[in-house]
Amino acid sequence: LASYLLYNQLMIYKWNKDSVRFYYNKLASNVQNSRWGKEIKKWLDGIIPIGSIFPNIQGVNNYAKIIATDNLLENDNYTLLIFWASWCAPCRQLIPAYLKIYKKYHVKGLKFIAITLDTDKDKWLTAIKKDNISNWKHIYSDKTRLDFLNDYGLSSIPAEILLKGNKVIAKYAGADEERTDIEDLENKLKEIFND
């Protein structure tokens, strides 16, 4: 009953995360491992917590070929997933920063996969050409914007998720509840690549 009531406080009364975590940590381990306890833990950790395996996303690339993240991720290689859209002004404003990161770290093994929330393929393809990002891997999925937000724990875009192999090692901007920015990502990459 305790985990169910706490879950209701979270969902109905929108308690903040710190309050929920405070009471969750006081629950006995068998209560934390109950159905409602696991739901609370999932919410506290985020939908795709750091350390988890990133779920496969399938779609088509900018050359109309079927593509999936599972086929692009390699063991021990670093990949930056960028969730964006052609209609998203903040996403487009970050393109120069992404290009700078790509130029600096792609030669050291960092891959880029840009996953769009666009629903208009023509606008998406035009943005790729206009922004000069054709050399990145791109995925256009039939998921809706709401699907992406719910399935991947995004609060907004742009959002970045850094992977090593298929494991999530860091999240930034709309993928991170702290709303970190591009400088945090750059600092992490400096650390990884001993730069």
Side-chain angles (χ1 to χ4, degrees):
L1 183 58
S3 59
Y4 174 75
L5 292 173
L6 184 56
Y7 183 79
N8 278 339
Q9 295 301 323
L10 162 65
M11 291 297 138
I12 296 170
Y13 299 105
K14 306 295 184 196
W15 278 12
N16 69 44
K17 193 171 272 196
D18 289 338
S19 297
V20 174
R21 191 181 308 278
F22 175 80
Y23 289 107
Y24 175 83
N25 288 339
K26 292 186 173 292
L27 297 173
S29 61
N30 64 327
V31 178
Q32 289 179 350
N33 289 316
S34 69
R35 175 181 178 224
W36 297 110
K38 288 178 182 175
E39 288 297 318
I40 294 166
K41 178 87 166 105
K42 189 191 306 182
W43 182 81
L44 288 172
D45 288 345
I47 292 175
I48 303 175
I50 291 173
S52 67
I53 301 301
F54 188 80
N56 187 43
I57 297 178
Q58 184 173 315
V60 295
N61 67 12
N62 46 323
Y63 302 104
K65 304 280 186 205
I66 294 173
I67 190 170
T69 53
D70 278 359
N71 298 330
L72 300 173
L73 304 176
E74 298 174 13
N75 291 341
D76 296 329
N77 284 356
Y78 292 95
T79 303
L80 181 65
L81 302 177
I82 300 169
F83 292 86
W84 75 296
S86 65
W87 46 260
C88 168
C91 300
R92 303 290 293 278
Q93 289 168 352
L94 276 179
I95 295 295
Y98 291 143
L99 287 169
K100 182 179 149 194
I101 291 168
Y102 182 84
K103 183 178 180 181
K104 188 172 187 177
Y105 294 109
H106 181 67
V107 294
K108 297 181 180 186
L110 179 66
K111 293 183 175 185
F112 272 49
I113 302 174
I115 302 160
T116 186
L117 277 65
D118 275 294
T119 55
D120 185 322
K121 277 188 186 173
D122 291 335
K123 288 182 180 176
W124 169 64
L125 291 169
T126 300
I128 290 170
K129 286 179 187 169
K130 184 175 182 181
D131 293 345
N132 197 26
I133 54 175
S134 298
N135 51 348
W136 302 355
K137 300 292 184 190
H138 290 274
I139 298 178
Y140 178 98
S141 172
D142 61 359
K143 289 179 178 284
T144 67
R145 181 174 182 224
L146 192 58
D147 288 338
F148 275 111
L149 297 179
N150 290 336
D151 294 351
Y152 302 99
L154 308 180
S155 60
S156 63
I157 57 172
E160 301 95 20
I161 297 179
L162 186 60
L163 306 176
K164 183 173 184 182
N166 62 356
K167 186 184 268 188
V168 175
I169 60 169
K171 302 192 293 186
Y172 301 94
D176 175 28
E177 71 177 43
E178 304 299 323
R179 299 288 305 155
T180 52
D181 63 20
I182 199 76
E183 289 179 12
D184 296 296
L185 170 61
E186 290 173 322
N187 290 335
K188 181 69 171 179
L189 293 172
K190 284 178 186 174
E191 177 189 315
I192 288 170
F193 293 102
N194 299 313
D195 198 25

